[in-house]
Amino acid sequence: MTRFGPPLEALALQDVTWGAPPPGRILVRVRAAGAGFPDAMMTAGDFPLLGAPPFGLGEEAAGEVVAVPHGSRFAVGDRVAGITGFLEGWGGYANYTYLRETSAFLVPGAMTDEEAAGFPIAFRTAYAGLVERVPVTPGQYLLVLGAAGSSGAAAVQLGKALGATVIAVAGGERKTAFCAGIGADHVIDHRAEDLAVRIGELTGGHGVDVLYDPVGGDTAAAAVRGIARFGRIALIGLASGRTLPLDSSDMLLRNYSAAGVLAGPDKDPAVERAVWERLLALVRGGAVRTPVGTVHDFAGVPEMVAAQHAPEPGKSVVRVASVMA
Ligand SMILES: NC(=O)c1ccc[n+]([C@@H]2O[C@H](COP(=O)([O-])OP(=O)(O)OC[C@H]3O[C@@H](n4cnc5c(N)ncnc54)[C@H](OP(=O)(O)O)[C@@H]3O)[C@@H](O)[C@H]2O)c1
């Protein structure tokens, strides 16, 4: 990324040099990189935590280890995936990138490069939301907004794996069919149906115990009207471009709460490794799987980022290795 602005103007291929990986990073030859709405936010300069351009875009990647620092638990040649050093400027839409060692894992044999590349951010975020910050327990109603998107589809699957009854919310027939296909118990089309009314019908008047919200704005505000007594909101993101307007008086009178969720590694690397092991055990057992949607060419990254304002169902992924020498 050379500057903030429209993706077709802000993004360009440039030659850079990757030095030996510093402690805590591994250098990877990228085969595929996970994409998503944050790319659009970063390109527009709307992503908090990020410094000024130039920097490499792409939060997550899968590939093959080419260099490790002394004492690394990985070895050259390992097939790995994980979260990139994007906050320091080393993103996944590149021939090489650094992965954070604490957020990297050996890719199970049955996972494709695309599935591996599109797994880390969405599933680590769903874990942060539904296990660490707003735990959902078996039998509870979990409502997931943006459920055909990257974050939402992971939350649908993890919620099911945790034993919740999952209500997926998406816009339009293709996306609602997609949500049913990834295991949602119920699906609401927010473009065609009244969210609060449908929540009441589907939960027998109980309301939803947990609301997973990567969208914000009006859709989230409508969903809050269907929240249960003692319900909890996991605040994940703002794909609508607007925050969820929270009314403290309403929260008080209807006994619900909200928690901000910023997925990040646990301070203790052993605890963080255990999180990834638990997620990968779900992959191996077939309980969760990256729902790969559109696979883009490396050269098409600017167009892909521009399209994030009307995303297709599923997880967008960029195939990088095909343009490598
Ligand atoms: N807290 C964290 O640690 C964390 C981690 C990852 C991502 N996030 C955040 O989560 C949000 C969603 O990211 P994502 O990668 O899941 O996005 P995504 O795959 O593009 O999905 C977002 C969904 O939001 C809905 N949406 C509503 N209004 C939209 C609009 N104006 N433009 C685009 N989508 C809109 C769409 O669903 P319908 O068409 O069905 O309405 C879309 O499928 C972002 O704000 C991102 O920064 C947070």
Side-chain angles (χ1 to χ4, degrees), residues 31 140 157 214 277 284 312:
R31 293 185 190 163
Q140 288 191 320
Q157 295 184 53
E277 264 320 306
R284 289 190 202 96
E312 293 291 311

Side-chain angles (χ1 to χ4, degrees), residues 37-38 41 125 149-151 170-171 175 190 214-215 236 238-239 261 263 309 311:
F37 195 78
M41 297 172 75
T125 303
S150 169
S151 307
K175 287 189 174 179
H190 69 81
V215 174
I236 304 294
L238 309 170
V261 180
H309 289 285

Side-chain angles (χ1 to χ4, degrees), residues 45 74 133 135 174 187 204 213 274 276:
F74 293 100
R133 294 285 285 137
R174 279 186 65 216
V187 185
D213 176 23
W276 289 98

Side-chain angles (χ1 to χ4, degrees), residues 82-104:
I83 297 173
T84 63
F86 70 97
L87 288 177
E88 299 98 51
W90 302 100
Y93 307 141
N95 295 129
Y96 296 86
T97 194
Y98 299 111
L99 296 185
R100 302 177 193 167
E101 187 154 351
T102 49
S103 308

